[in-house]
Structure formats: C-alpha cells, structure tokens
Amino acid sequence: MKMVVAYIRHEAFEPIRTELLELGFPSLTITEVKGSGRQKGITERYRGAELTNYLRPKIKLECVVADADVQTIVDTILKHGRTGAVGDGKVFVLAVDEAYRVRTGEAGEEILQTHPGAASAA
Ligand SMILES: Nc1ncnc2c1ncn2[C@@H]1O[C@H](COP(=O)(O)OP(=O)(O)OP(=O)(O)O)[C@@H](O)[C@H]1O
Ligand SMILES: [Mg+2]
C-alpha cells in the first residue's frame, strides 16, 4: 500500500475528485493548507507598505491505495493539476505499512476496495 500526498491548487481538486470517483477511487481526505514552494513569496503593496506573503493556500490531498493503483492516482492528479504556471504543486508517494477498517476490524489491502453496491457517503 502507498499513500499519495498531493499539494494542489484549489481549482484542481474538483476535476481530480470527479475522475478518481469515476475510476473507482472514492476514498480520500483533503485539508486546506498553506505552503511555500521555490518562488518564495509574492510581494504586494498595501496602504503604501510592501508586504511579502510567503504562504499560498493549497489543498492537501491524501489517498491510500494498493501499489498497483498508485500510477493511476498520480496520473489523474498530474493531468488535472497542471496549468503550466509556477505553483501547480507536488505529489509524494509514501509507503503505508498497514490499514484497518474501524467498523469491522478487517486489515490489509482489501479494505481499500470500493464498498460493494452502495454509493455510500463516507
Ligand atoms: N518539498 C516540499 N515539501 C512539502 N510541501 C511542498 C514541497 N514542495 C512543495 N510543497 C507544497 O506544494 C505547494 C506548491 O509548490 P510549488 O508548485 O510552488 O512547488 P515548486 O517546487 O516551487 O514548483 P513550481 O516551480 O512549479 O512552482 C507549496 O505551497 C507547498 O504547500
Ligand atoms: Mg513554486
């Protein structure tokens, strides 16, 4: 199992979510975060003073999937996340040792499979 962690633009999330759902990956978590990349900051004038904002709002997307599905997830994020401008974000792939479904106590990669039949809300 792997966790795909992506820092993306807010606008990129909805198309990524939609395609992941269509591909059979409804399970994910997002957090609204602030981050900085290479370009360091954006300087603006505010009431005569120059202010540099080093942090930009981003969406952090986390998705734990079977090893065989990692490339599909990454490709979907790259496809919809890329505008070509600086700040499009980054994707990281982390190893995941174990996973448990709280409701049943089941463990292992099987718990990552889509719920049979139900179009359930989380
Ligand atoms: N090495 C990193 N570790 C953790 N978060 C990162 C890292 N690099 C980027 N991020 C996150 O991704 C966001 C977007 O990064 P960004 O796309 O600006 O990266 P970059 O390396 O500067 O590439 P680009 O040249 O396309 O701007 C950052 O605001 C931050 O939240
Ligand atoms: Mg950058």
Side-chain angles (χ1 to χ4, degrees):
M1 285 173 288
K2 297 279 194 287
M3 179 186 275
V4 180
V5 180
Y7 301 91
I8 55 172
R9 298 182 192 278
H10 278 67
E11 313 84 88
F13 174 65
E14 194 53 31
I16 290 169
R17 185 195 67 77
T18 303
E19 183 160 355
L20 288 180
L21 185 63
E22 285 167 2
L23 292 170
F25 302 100
S27 306
L28 50 81
T29 299
I30 67 163
T31 318
E32 297 193 85
V33 296
K34 289 184 175 179
S36 66
R38 288 184 304 182
Q39 70 270 35
K40 299 195 181 80
I42 292 179
T43 303
E44 290 172 341
R45 288 205 144 265
Y46 180 71
R47 294 185 175 175
E50 279 210 341
L51 293 174
T52 302
N53 192 350
Y54 292 94
L55 295 171
R56 308 295 304 159
K58 296 287 168 188
I59 293 287
K60 179 183 180 184
L61 167 66
E62 295 166 310
C63 186
V64 177
V65 294
D67 289 7
D69 295 322
V70 169
Q71 202 57 53
T72 302
I73 306 298
V74 171
D75 289 347
T76 302
I77 294 168
L78 295 179
K79 174 177 158 190
H80 295 291
R82 182 175 299 137
T83 69
V86 295
D88 276 350
K90 289 234 177 74
V91 181
F92 300 98
V93 179
L94 292 66
V96 172
D97 290 335
E98 194 49 276
Y100 300 89
R101 174 174 287 124
V102 173
R103 178 173 57 83
T104 59
E106 295 161 275
E109 208 170 82
E110 305 82 66
I111 73 156
L112 302 176
Q113 286 165 13
T114 312
H115 214 284
S120 74

